[in-house]
Amino acid sequence: MTAKTHLDDLHLLISLLPQELQKSLAQQGQGNLLEIILDLGRVPQARYPHAALNLSNQPVTREELDAVIGAVGEFGADNRAGIEGTLHRISAIRNRRGQIIGLTLRVGRAVFGTIDLIRDLVESGKSLLLLGRPGVGKTTKLREVARVLADDFGKRVVVIDTSNEIAGDGDIPHPAIGSARRMMVAHPDRQHAVMIEAVENHMPEAIIVDEIGTASEAMAARTIAERGVQLIGTAHGNTLENLVLNPTLSDLVGGVQTVTLSDDEARLRGTQKTVSERKAPPTFDIVVEITDRDEVFVHPDTAQAVDAILCGVQPKGVRRCGAVAAEGPKPPSEPESAEEMAKPPLFVRSDNQQRPVRIYAYALSRDSVDRVIRDLNLEARTVRYPDQADLVVTLRAREEDASLQRIVRSAQLPVHTVKKNTTAQIRQLLRGLFHIVPEDKQDEVGEMVRETERAVQQVKAEGIMAELAPRSAALRQMQHRIVTRHGLFAESIGREPYRHLVIYPM
């Protein structure tokens, strides 16, 4: 899926500005605007991903600043405010007397397709920690994670929204989080308490939390993970190494303790007598470093990666790249055919080149895997050696083999299993991995595409919402793809088998 950025409510943020600044911003362009800076006595700026442009030659006056503050309303204890029904965030800078002398008007957008690079990790059910510099898209990804888990997989999802940044301002959550529920936090100091309250009172299967930054929040995160709830969050820090060295947050990845070795053990290890070791199992099973909006570095085994760092070894990980973000809505294109919609995707590599997926069959018939690949017409092939592979398929009974574990640790490969060494089971596995719609559903795919296209045109022409017929999760994903391509927004509602999409006008 190609991400679509929805700018439908950007005018609400821009309308807070003085008229002259609105005109200047219209001339500069708004498609990839990140934030607007208003500091007393300085010229106002519009910031973009790779540039900061002045909106005026005149410095911001107290009257202009007060006018914006008056239009925004009250700021919370975290010096943040918002616009009801939107994802925008307005943050204040105060002087020592508590007066506001600067504002940051941050643009909030619902972007779809931002988690394509890590969707398999989200679907795994494991706890996932996102790291990255400010502005790289961590919160945007959390919104889509909430929507995908709640709508596409029907999970009970609770979003812990400390500054109303994930689900927007106001009592009604923004549609960007789908049917996930949102718990607000009255004061930033209470985020850890609300995290625990969510588990104890609302029985979530997944909890989404942004900006874990204190020891209390780290402890609450561990409590949640130990209760079997999938936890997906962000933390302060750009890399896993940063987190390991942070005494406040290192517990998220297992913590660090100093151990004194005996003379014999130190000699055997070839280290000093005093060494640093991981203290406990990590709270988060997987760590993802977001290096750019379309590039991430994945540590699929947090414990192994932390152990490597503490031993002074560069941790092995997997770099994933791909064009998953767009600067703005693309113009509508011709509808995709049912055949195109059902076609399995090519994997995207770090060199941005598409090539067949390479599969290593361990304790499975390679001929059987090849036969299934040919029958399904997959963009894949088997390889003879594991160091040539992108993934491993094996028998469930052989998953814990010592030799396989060595292969997985060495090459950092994902492992997928079947119960029996039969073409039927291999076929079922590969269908799931490549998101293939069964042949007996092809007619339904064509009908679904036509229905969705008709509904999209009706919504755009009449400005009213449209409900679609109930579909399976796989077909609903295709429907989302069609809707976002046309620059509209849709959400899944209802329970299986009656779960269906509703398309909203912009």
Side-chain angles (χ1 to χ4, degrees):
M1 180 191 299
T2 301
K4 308 285 185 178
T5 304
H6 294 265
L7 306 176
D8 55 298
D9 57 8
L10 182 56
H11 67 282
L12 296 176
L13 184 69
I14 295 175
S15 66
L16 300 176
L17 302 173
Q19 287 295 328
E20 290 301 318
L21 297 189
Q22 293 186 33
K23 293 177 182 177
S24 177
L25 190 58
Q27 295 172 356
Q28 302 282 14
Q30 305 166 7
N32 56 351
L33 178 67
L34 294 180
E35 60 189 15
I36 302 163
I37 305 299
L38 302 177
D39 286 338
L40 183 63
R42 293 184 173 181
V43 296
Q45 284 189 335
R47 292 183 177 175
Y48 299 86
H50 304 292
L53 304 178
N54 292 340
L55 294 176
S56 171
N57 293 325
Q58 300 299 316
V60 176
T61 65
R62 168 57 67 184
E63 290 73 20
E64 289 173 330
L65 205 58
D66 288 344
V68 177
I69 295 169
V72 170
E74 292 187 13
F75 287 81
D78 53 1
N79 279 316
R80 292 179 178 180
I83 303 172
E84 186 166 355
T86 77
L87 300 172
H88 306 312
R89 183 185 77 196
I90 297 93
S91 302
I93 297 175
R94 298 178 184 270
N95 62 17
R96 288 191 295 177
R97 297 186 299 276
Q99 296 173 316
I100 297 176
I101 57 173
L103 292 173
T104 301
L105 286 72
R106 180 80 179 183
V107 178
R109 295 184 175 109
V111 186
F112 301 92
T114 62
I115 66 166
D116 285 355
L117 291 177
I118 59 170
R119 189 180 177 104
D120 58 321
L121 308 178
V122 174
E123 295 176 5
S124 70
K126 296 181 179 179
S127 291
L128 182 67
L129 181 65
L130 306 180
L131 303 175
R133 67 184 187 278
V136 80
K138 299 189 297 296
T139 305
T140 303
K141 286 179 170 57
L142 286 186
R143 289 190 197 107
E144 188 172 15
V145 167
R147 179 182 61 79
V148 167
L149 289 178
D151 290 359
D152 294 350
F153 295 93
K155 287 191 173 183
R156 299 187 301 273
V157 180
V158 173
V159 174
I160 309 299
D161 210 359
T162 303
S163 301
N164 288 358
E165 191 171 0
I166 300 178
D169 208 52
D171 293 339
I172 302 175
H174 193 279
I177 67 167
S179 58
R181 305 180 74 188
R182 186 261 296 272
M183 292 184 67
M184 297 187 193
V185 182
H187 193 282
D189 293 345
R190 283 192 44 79
Q191 176 165 291
H192 67 283
V194 177
M195 291 167 66
I196 298 300
E197 180 186 340
V199 176
E200 293 179 344
N201 290 358
H202 305 291
M203 295 189 302
E205 295 173 285
I207 285 183
I208 312 294
V209 59
D210 200 7
E211 295 184 359
I212 300 173
T214 68
S216 297
E217 291 160 10
M219 188 178 299
R222 177 170 292 279
T223 300
I224 291 170
E226 288 176 349
R227 296 190 183 190
V229 178
Q230 182 182 14
L231 181 63
I232 299 179
T234 68
H236 302 297
N238 294 341
T239 65
L240 179 57
E241 287 90 338
N242 296 153
L243 215 58
V244 172
L245 297 175
N246 185 327
T248 302
L249 298 180
S250 63
D251 186 58
L252 295 174
V253 292
V256 180
Q257 63 184 355
T258 301
V259 178
T260 302
L261 307 177
S262 65
D263 292 339
D264 291 339
E265 187 171 359
R267 192 179 306 111
L268 182 64
R269 291 192 186 188
T271 65
Q272 298 179 345
K273 291 187 64 175
T274 301
V275 297
S276 295
E277 291 185 347
R278 180 167 48 85
K279 183 166 56 176
T283 299
F284 291 90
D285 307 297
I286 304 168
V287 173
V288 176
E289 300 172 5
I290 307 174
T291 54
D292 206 343
R293 289 183 181 272
D294 57 356
E295 182 180 75
V296 298
F297 191 80
V298 178
H299 298 283
D301 187 332
T302 303
Q304 188 180 85
V306 171
D307 291 344
I309 291 171
L310 295 177
C311 290
V313 178
Q314 184 69 24
K316 293 184 177 180
V318 180
R319 189 173 300 281
R320 300 181 177 187
C321 301
V324 299
E327 298 297 345
K330 293 183 180 179
S333 57
E334 289 300 315
E336 295 175 82
S337 67
E339 180 181 357
E340 290 171 332
M341 291 292 294
K343 186 177 180 180
L346 292 172
F347 278 31
V348 179
R349 304 301 171 193
S350 59
D351 55 5
N352 287 330
Q353 297 296 316
Q354 293 181 328
R355 59 169 169 78
V357 181
R358 300 175 302 189
I359 301 174
Y360 176 67
Y362 178 87
L364 277 180
S365 167
R366 187 178 171 189
D367 288 340
S368 297
V369 177
D370 280 329
R371 189 178 308 119
V372 172
I373 289 173
R374 288 194 301 270
D375 291 347
L376 296 178
N377 193 28
L378 301 179
E379 291 287 346
R381 64 183 180 89
T382 60
V383 292
R384 187 179 299 274
Y385 303 106
D387 59 357
Q388 301 171 336
D390 298 313
L391 60 90
V392 177
V393 294
T394 187
L395 288 170
R396 194 172 303 165
R398 303 291 297 274
E399 188 176 7
E400 301 300 325
D401 282 8
S403 57
L404 176 60
Q405 290 302 311
R406 284 195 297 270
I407 291 171
V408 171
R409 284 195 298 269
S410 174
Q412 294 287 309
L413 296 176
V415 179
H416 303 276
T417 63
V418 293
K419 189 174 181 181
K420 296 180 180 179
N421 189 4
T422 64
T423 54
Q425 295 240 341
I426 296 170
R427 182 186 300 270
Q428 182 178 358
L429 172 65
L430 295 186
R431 278 187 181 279
L433 289 178
F434 286 82
H435 308 296
I436 297 179
V437 178
E439 292 180 5
D440 59 352
K441 297 289 186 180
Q442 293 297 318
D443 290 343
E444 185 179 354
V445 172
E447 178 190 343
M448 176 274 295
V449 172
R450 291 188 292 272
E451 177 201 22
T452 308
E453 289 288 349
R454 284 196 301 268
V456 163
Q457 297 306 322
Q458 179 184 4
V459 170
K460 295 174 76 172
E462 302 177 15
I464 60 173
M465 71 176 190
E467 294 194 32
L468 304 180
R471 302 287 183 184
S472 64
L475 294 185
R476 289 200 305 271
Q477 290 178 18
M478 294 182 185
Q479 289 177 318
H480 276 293
R481 180 178 172 185
I482 296 172
V483 172
T484 55
R485 187 189 63 230
H486 284 279
L488 298 178
F489 172 74
E491 66 173 334
S492 297
I493 64 173
R495 293 189 173 276
E496 302 292 359
Y498 305 107
R499 196 164 182 79
H500 61 284
L501 254 65
V502 177
I503 306 175
Y504 296 97
M506 302 302 289

